[in-house]
Amino acid sequence: MVSCNGGLNQMRAAICDMVAIARHLNVTLIVPELDKASFWNDPSEFQDIFDVDHFITSLRDEVRILKELPPRVKRRVELGMIYTMAPISWSDISYYQNQILPLIQKYKVVHLNRTDARLANNALPMEIQKLRCRVNFGALRFTPQIEELGRKVIKILRQNGTFIVLHLRYEMDMLAFSGCTQGFNKEEVEELTRMRYAYPWWKEKIINSDLKRKDGLCPLTPEETALTLRALDIDHNIQVYIAAGEIYGGKRRMASLRAAYPNVVRKETLLEPSDLRFFQNHSSQMAALDYLVSLESDIFVPTYDGNMAKVVEGHRRYLGYKKTILLDRRLLVNLVDQHNSGSLTWNEFSTAVKEAHAECCMGNPTKRSVIPDRPKEEDYFYSNPWECLKPLDEG
């Protein structure tokens, strides 16, 4: 049994990992439980987001997956005969073989209560890497209702021409967690700080926002993003679909982006309220819609390298190396500051941004960077699952 933690895309990657682990250990997997307790406070069950029957049947030749515990085992669990634990992060498969499997054999049921990044990126058998991909790109299909609404949004966008998806990670949770307060007033900074202290699992509390930003560790602000897109010569008439929750600071923080790109849209502006009535207050279902639109966009631009940015990047590679612009935030904030202070003209700024991002976009397949003993710093498996990608000349 597994309980996933985090937002939609962190849970998505975890589900892929848990299927691969269950297959390798030759044990039964119960349909994963989704996170209902974190910041997002989303009560959705697995079957509210993913097509659970497709998930089970598409993997039936790989691993036995059940919707619930069999009655005999369920009774054991009700009597407390269960072993609950959090596996060690970034573990290789031998950890599960040598540490977890004996526990399953002893207790019959083991409950893994944290699943984020619990399987290594690299040095795994090829069949495990390929199974992670089969789950991600095949077995994890959204519910028919989410898929249908996603198609509707994409159709509306396509009728109006090309569109980019801007994953503008500038919601309250990200800003509170990261401590990035560029451009906010005193009251807003205090509100974000209070929120950071309210969540005990957010370990870092005292944060120097300016230093963090200069190191490229903050999401780009909407103002920085507008300058960057203009510098990259993104057509000002293109539709810019915002894949995000509510932007903190609202209209005030979005003003410069809207001025530069008047065709800024969101799912809420493209659809009728009745289309979204079943999705409201279900952040993971709303994120699933954004995921589908992100896959289909002409260009995908994330302003921060969070879970959605990474998982969508990898999925777009799988779909044929679709264009994704990966922004160098550390360099960009330095250039933006120089331009805003008057030490760089617009032309100099634009040229520098273009030169820095000449190689930023999806092109030929590349292998992930591997940093032994520092897995958090190396390339994430799901952002570039090269083991599953076709060379470009094969189409």
Side-chain angles (χ1 to χ4, degrees):
M1 297 170 65
V2 298
S3 296
C4 299
N5 57 296
L8 175 69
N9 294 287
Q10 184 168 300
M11 293 193 289
R12 183 187 184 101
I15 292 163
C16 301
D17 290 349
M18 295 300 136
V19 169
I21 291 163
R23 169 72 187 86
H24 187 80
L25 301 182
N26 196 23
V27 297
T28 299
L29 176 71
I30 305 301
V31 168
E33 178 188 31
L34 302 188
D35 189 338
K36 302 180 189 65
S38 67
F39 166 83
W40 296 277
N41 209 17
D42 186 334
S44 299
E45 304 286 356
F46 186 99
Q47 64 271 17
D48 297 323
I49 298 173
F50 299 109
D51 183 335
V52 67
D53 293 321
H54 173 75
F55 176 68
I56 291 169
T57 55
S58 65
L59 293 167
R60 66 184 167 210
D61 294 336
E62 303 275 4
V63 63
R64 183 172 180 241
I65 302 174
L66 301 178
K67 290 183 182 177
E68 57 182 6
L69 289 165
R72 182 175 53 82
V73 182
K74 198 172 186 179
R75 278 195 296 276
R76 290 175 61 92
V77 171
E78 286 165 354
L79 292 167
M81 298 165 72
I82 182 175
Y83 189 87
T84 299
M85 64 173 294
I88 295 171
S89 298
W90 308 109
S91 295
D92 64 20
I93 203 67
S94 65
Y95 164 79
Y96 290 93
Q97 187 76 43
N98 300 331
Q99 304 289 324
I100 307 297
L101 185 57
L103 291 170
I104 298 172
Q105 290 163 340
K106 180 178 178 181
Y107 292 96
K108 306 305 177 204
V109 183
V110 167
H111 173 217
L112 303 182
N113 61 5
R114 289 189 79 80
T115 57
D116 55 315
R118 304 291 149 159
L119 190 58
N121 292 312
N122 301 297
L124 294 173
M126 187 61 82
E127 63 267 20
I128 286 181
Q129 303 292 53
K130 295 208 166 194
L131 179 53
R132 291 167 106 178
C133 292
R134 283 200 295 282
V135 182
N136 195 17
F137 305 135
L140 281 179
R141 186 194 288 168
F142 293 124
T143 63
Q145 297 92 322
I146 293 173
E147 294 273 348
E148 185 183 344
L149 202 52
R151 283 193 293 272
K152 185 173 182 177
V153 173
I154 293 157
K155 186 179 178 187
I156 293 167
L157 288 162
R158 280 272 166 254
Q159 284 168 346
N160 295 316
T162 55
F163 69 96
I164 77 170
V165 164
L166 185 62
H167 181 39
L168 189 62
R169 195 69 174 90
Y170 217 68
E171 301 102 329
M172 189 179 186
D173 68 300
M174 168 51 66
L175 298 167
F177 167 73
S178 64
C180 296
T181 55
Q182 179 79 5
F184 288 117
N185 61 37
K186 185 168 177 278
E187 288 75 21
E188 289 166 330
V189 172
E190 286 174 357
E191 183 178 34
L192 293 170
T193 305
R194 278 196 304 274
M195 184 181 181
R196 182 162 68 256
Y197 277 87
Y199 284 86
W201 51 86
W202 291 351
K203 298 286 186 282
E204 201 179 2
K205 301 298 182 188
I206 300 168
I207 296 171
N208 184 321
S209 176
D210 291 337
L211 278 180
K212 201 161 185 180
R213 176 177 172 269
K214 282 186 168 62
D215 283 339
L217 299 174
C218 285
L220 291 182
T221 67
E223 297 86 354
E224 291 163 350
T225 303
L227 284 171
T228 301
L229 294 181
R230 282 179 55 213
L232 290 169
D233 290 339
I234 302 289
D235 182 355
H236 80 281
N237 289 317
I238 199 169
Q239 299 171 96
V240 178
Y241 177 94
I242 305 293
E246 187 179 345
I247 301 304
Y248 190 65
K251 287 182 180 175
R252 175 175 68 86
R253 295 309 302 266
M254 289 295 287
S256 59
L257 184 60
R258 288 186 181 280
Y261 292 92
N263 294 320
V264 168
V265 294
R266 312 171 55 96
K267 50 193 170 295
E268 293 87 350
T269 61
L270 295 174
L271 295 169
E272 298 297 325
S274 58
D275 288 322
L276 287 168
R277 68 184 183 279
F278 297 119
F279 294 77
Q280 294 294 356
N281 303 319
H282 292 82
S283 58
S284 288
Q285 294 182 45
M286 296 288 255
L289 274 180
D290 283 344
Y291 187 94
L292 290 169
V293 179
S294 299
L295 289 186
E296 291 299 318
S297 62
D298 296 286
I299 309 172
F300 177 63
V301 186
T303 60
Y304 187 72
D305 51 359
N307 289 294
M308 178 168 171
K310 291 174 180 173
V311 177
V312 168
E313 176 196 338
H315 206 147
R316 285 174 66 88
R317 287 177 191 264
Y318 178 78
L319 292 173
Y321 302 97
K322 298 173 90 166
K323 187 174 181 180
T324 298
I325 300 178
L326 303 172
L327 299 172
D328 183 337
R329 295 189 305 279
R330 185 173 183 171
L331 180 115
L332 279 170
V333 297
N334 180 35
L335 292 175
V336 165
D337 289 349
Q338 288 183 63
H339 173 62
N340 286 341
S341 69
S343 58
L344 275 184
T345 66
W346 174 256
N347 285 343
E348 289 168 337
F349 171 73
S350 180
T351 299
V353 171
K354 284 193 198 72
E355 283 176 357
H357 294 87
E359 302 295 322
C360 72
C361 311
M362 289 307 131
N364 289 313
T366 55
K367 293 201 172 182
R368 292 184 301 278
S369 70
V370 179
I371 307 175
D373 304 323
R374 296 213 307 263
K376 279 182 88 165
E377 296 172 37
E378 67 186 12
D379 289 342
Y380 186 43
F381 172 79
Y382 291 98
S383 67
N384 181 14
W386 60 260
E387 295 90 338
C388 313
L389 307 180
K390 290 180 181 174
L392 276 181
D393 53 11
E394 287 183 24

